[in-house]
Amino acid sequence: MKKLALLGAMALSILSHAVVGAEGKPVRIGIEAAYPPFASKAPDGSIVGFDYDIGNALCAEMKVKCQWVEQEFDGLIPALKVRKIDAILSSMSITEERKRSVEFTHKYYNSPAKLVMKAGTDVKDVKTELKGKNLGVQRGSIHDRFATEVLEPAGVKVSRYASQNEIYLDLSAGRLDATLADATLLEDGFLKTDAGKGFAFAGPDFTDPKYFGEGIGIAVRKNDTELRDKLNAAIDAIRANGTYKQIQDKYFNFDIYGN
Amino acid sequence: MIFDYTVVWDSLPLYMSGLLITLKLLAISLVLGLIIAVPLAFMRVSKRAAVNLPAWLYTYVIRGTPGLVQLFLIYYGLAQFDAVRDSWLWPWLSSATFCACLAFAVNTSAYTAEILAGSLRSTPHGEIEAAKAMGMSRFLMYRRIVLPSAVRRALPQYSNEVIMMLQTTSLASIVTLVDITGAARTVNSQFYLPFEAYITAGVFYLALTFILVRLFKRAERRWLAYLAPRNG
C-alpha cells in the first residue's frame, strides 16, 4: 500500500512538472542562416550573427525560452502563417505588402541597399547605365521587388536566386555584372571575403521607403499582438540597458540602428 | 478565401513563358540524350570488355548520382576553376540554359542507354538468323533489323524515361531559369501563396504528362501492334 502511495505521489509530481513545462512553451523563431554577418553557419554547424545574438538577448529580456528554426527566406512567412514558427527574426524589412500578411515589431536596425560591381565601375544614373547588364537579386526580397518594378522595365536583365551565396558565386564566375542587396550584408558577406576581391560598392544608396521600407523588424502572426508588444518592450529595454550596443560593436563599427 | 484564382489568372503569362522554357529544356535534352545513348547502348551489349567497360562505368556513375548533384557540379562546380572560365567553353558554360540542357542530356543518356541495351539483348534469335540468311552485312543487319526492332520494344520503358525527364526539368529553376517551377517560385515569393502557386505548376505538369502518355500510346499502337496480345 505504501509503495502504491509513493508511486502515486511520483506520478503526480511528474504530471505537475509536465504542466509547468507546458506553460513555458518555447517561442520558435524562424531564421535563414545564409546572411552574414546577420546570420550564418559556424564551422561546427551552429548559427552565429547579429540577428541570432539580438534574438537571444530579446528572449533573455522577455525571460522566455527560444528555439531557433532554420528555413529558406521565401519560406519564412508561409511557415509563420501555418504556425510552424512564432516569429521571424531574419533581417526582414518592414514593407506594406508584408504588413498585409504579418504583424511587425518596430525596427531593430536599418541599413541602406547598395549595388556591388567590379571595382572601378562608376554608376551615376542606375537606370541608363545598368541597361543590358545582368543583375542578381535574392528571390522574394525587397531588392527583388525594386529590381522587378524599377530596373527590369528599364532594360536590366534580372536573375533571381534562392540565397545571396549563389549570387556571389555567379558574380565571381562572371555570369552577373551586379547585385543589389543590403550594404552591411554585402560588406561582410562578400566584399570582406577572399571571393569579394576585385569588387566594390557602386552607385548611390537606395533608401526609397516605398521599396526599402521602414527598417528591419521582427514579424509575428497577424493576431499575435501579445508577442509583438513583448518584443517591442524588449527591443526598447536592450537599447536602453546597453546590451544592444554591446552586440552591435561585436559586428559593426557604425550605428546600425539608424536614426 | 480558399483558393485565390485572381493570383493564378494574373500570373498566367509567367506560367506560359515558363511552359515554353520547360518544353525547350525537355526537347533539347531528350534529343541530345538520345544521340549519346545509341552508341552507348551498342557499347553496353558488346562482349569485348574494353568497349563495354567505359559505357558501363558511365551509366553506373550517372545513374548512381542525383540529377540535382550533376546540375550543381556543372553550373556552380565548373565555374569555380579559372581554367574553365578562361577557356573557349565559357561562353556556353556561363549560360544557365546550356548548363541545364547539358546536365539533363547527360542524365537521360545513361538511362536511355540502359533501356536500349536491354532491348538489344532481347532481340529474338530468329530475326538475326533470318537477316543472316538473307546475306545481310553486319552493318546492314544492325541498321535494318536489330536497331529498329530494339527501339520498338524499348518504347514503353522509354515513355517512362521521357515523363521522368519532364519532372526532372523542374530542377532548372534552381539555376535561375524561370520554367514552370521557376514561375511558381516567383509567384510564391511575390504573393506568399504557396498552395496556389504550386497547384498551378502541378496542373501544367499533369497536362504535359497526359499529352506525352497519349503520344506514346499512339506510337505503341502503331509500331508495337505485332506484339500486342491477340484475341482468338
Side-chain angles (χ1 to χ4, degrees):
Chain A
M1 199 60 208
K2 237 183 189 170
K3 252 187 196 163
L4 208 68
L6 200 69
L7 217 67
M10 263 167 72
L12 211 70
S13 78
I14 288 169
L15 218 66
S16 64
H17 261 293
V19 170
V20 170
E23 255 177 13
K25 216 169 124 194
V27 177
R28 293 161 302 171
I29 308 178
I31 189 166
E32 187 215 34
Y35 220 67
F38 296 103
S40 60
K41 284 284 191 65
D44 65 358
S46 59
I47 311 171
V48 291
F50 180 78
D51 281 349
Y52 183 71
D53 288 354
I54 287 286
N56 286 336
L58 292 176
C59 292
E61 185 64 40
M62 298 189 295
K63 298 192 174 56
V64 293
K65 248 178 82 184
C66 287
Q67 187 190 335
W68 292 91
V69 180
E70 274 184 65
Q71 185 117 82
E72 274 202 359
F73 193 76
D74 53 5
L76 284 169
I77 288 184
L80 182 69
K81 282 175 145 183
V82 299
R83 296 175 177 272
K84 283 190 180 141
I85 53 177
D86 304 308
I88 300 169
L89 205 163
S90 192
S91 292
M92 186 174 274
S93 307
I94 306 168
T95 63
E96 288 305 316
E97 276 72 24
R98 286 183 182 142
K99 271 189 199 163
R100 262 186 254 152
S101 49
V102 298
E103 188 80 38
F104 275 104
T105 63
H106 52 242
K107 69 167 183 179
Y108 67 93
Y109 77 88
N110 195 4
S111 74
K114 277 183 95 65
L115 286 169
V116 156
M117 300 177 75
K118 275 252 158 62
T121 319
D122 192 25
V123 178
K124 283 192 189 72
D125 184 19
V126 175
K127 280 191 205 174
T128 54
E129 286 173 62
L130 281 185
K131 197 174 174 179
K133 294 264 197 300
N134 293 307
L135 175 77
V137 288
Q138 184 169 354
R139 186 186 289 117
S141 65
I142 51 168
H143 314 100
D144 180 6
R145 214 185 124 226
F146 179 76
T148 307
E149 289 180 15
V150 179
L151 299 178
E152 211 162 30
V156 181
K157 292 187 211 149
V158 180
S159 298
R160 291 158 190 90
Y161 293 74
S163 84
Q164 203 64 34
N165 287 338
E166 290 156 24
I167 297 179
Y168 300 148
L169 283 175
D170 270 358
L171 259 180
S172 311
R175 286 194 182 107
L176 290 174
D177 300 306
T179 178
L180 178 69
D182 182 86
T184 337
L185 165 78
L186 289 169
E187 170 93 41
D188 286 74
F190 186 57
L191 294 179
K192 278 187 187 168
T193 67
D194 283 345
K197 273 191 191 119
F199 291 91
F201 284 125
D205 283 5
F206 296 88
T207 50
D208 185 349
K210 185 184 167 215
Y211 294 104
F212 299 103
E214 308 150 32
I216 308 292
I218 305 166
V220 298
R221 269 184 297 279
K222 206 89 191 105
N223 47 13
D224 200 353
T225 46
E226 191 197 334
L227 182 58
R228 182 202 61 191
D229 294 342
K230 270 166 86 179
L231 282 167
N232 272 339
I235 294 172
D236 293 339
I238 62 167
R239 288 277 302 158
N241 70 15
T243 314
Y244 186 95
K245 195 173 175 333
Q246 230 175 355
I247 297 171
Q248 170 190 294
D249 292 347
K250 212 170 126 188
Y251 297 97
F252 312 104
N253 44 16
F254 56 93
D255 180 15
I256 180 91
Y257 190 76
N259 38 35
Chain B
M1 182 191 67
I2 296 168
F3 193 91
D4 197 337
Y5 293 97
T6 51
V7 163
V8 174
W9 182 253
D10 289 345
S11 40
L12 267 188
L14 189 63
Y15 280 102
M16 291 313 283
S17 67
L19 174 68
L20 286 182
I21 303 259
T22 295
L23 287 176
K24 188 171 90 178
L25 288 172
L26 183 66
I28 294 177
S29 49
L30 283 177
V31 169
L32 278 179
L34 203 57
I35 293 172
I36 310 172
V38 172
L40 274 175
F42 280 116
M43 286 167 78
R44 282 290 285 127
V45 295
S46 167
K47 287 191 185 77
R48 261 178 294 169
V51 179
N52 194 321
L53 212 68
W56 170 83
L57 189 67
Y58 177 85
T59 60
Y60 177 73
V61 170
I62 299 299
R63 293 196 303 163
T65 49
L68 181 62
V69 171
Q70 293 159 10
L71 181 57
F72 273 151
L73 276 176
I74 290 174
Y75 186 80
Y76 287 116
L78 288 180
Q80 173 188 331
F81 302 105
D82 289 332
V84 174
R85 285 209 303 275
D86 296 334
S87 75
W88 54 273
L89 280 169
W90 185 242
W92 280 292
L93 281 175
S94 66
S95 142
T97 311
F98 179 84
C99 289
C101 286
L102 181 64
F104 297 156
V106 165
N107 188 277
T108 187
S109 70
Y111 286 94
T112 310
E114 286 298 327
I115 291 172
L116 208 55
S119 192
L120 283 170
R121 277 187 213 107
S122 65
T123 305
H125 297 304
E127 289 184 17
I128 293 171
E129 278 165 16
K132 279 183 180 161
M134 295 295 288
M136 285 188 190
S137 71
R138 214 178 140 83
F139 178 75
L140 196 64
M141 182 176 80
Y142 269 100
R143 188 167 65 85
R144 285 214 187 138
I145 308 294
V146 178
L147 194 58
S149 162
V151 168
R152 281 180 192 195
R153 271 172 288 116
L155 262 183
Q157 288 134 287
Y158 188 62
S159 77
N160 272 339
E161 172 57 21
V162 170
I163 291 165
M164 288 305 295
M165 262 328 277
L166 169 66
Q167 324 298 9
T168 305
T169 57
S170 65
L171 295 178
S173 68
I174 50 177
V175 290
T176 73
L177 293 175
V178 187
D179 66 334
I180 297 173
T181 308
R185 292 177 74 162
T186 306
V187 170
N188 177 34
S189 66
Q190 271 170 8
F191 301 99
Y192 307 116
L193 293 170
F195 193 69
E196 283 81 347
Y198 291 111
I199 278 282
T200 311
V203 168
F204 270 86
Y205 284 112
L206 270 178
L208 282 178
T209 306
F210 180 78
I211 295 169
L212 285 174
V213 168
R214 264 323 180 54
L215 285 176
F216 272 99
K217 270 273 163 301
R218 281 194 146 195
E220 282 172 33
R221 220 174 292 151
R222 193 180 157 86
W223 288 305
L224 280 181
Y226 75 106
L227 285 180
R230 259 168 255 197
N231 299 323

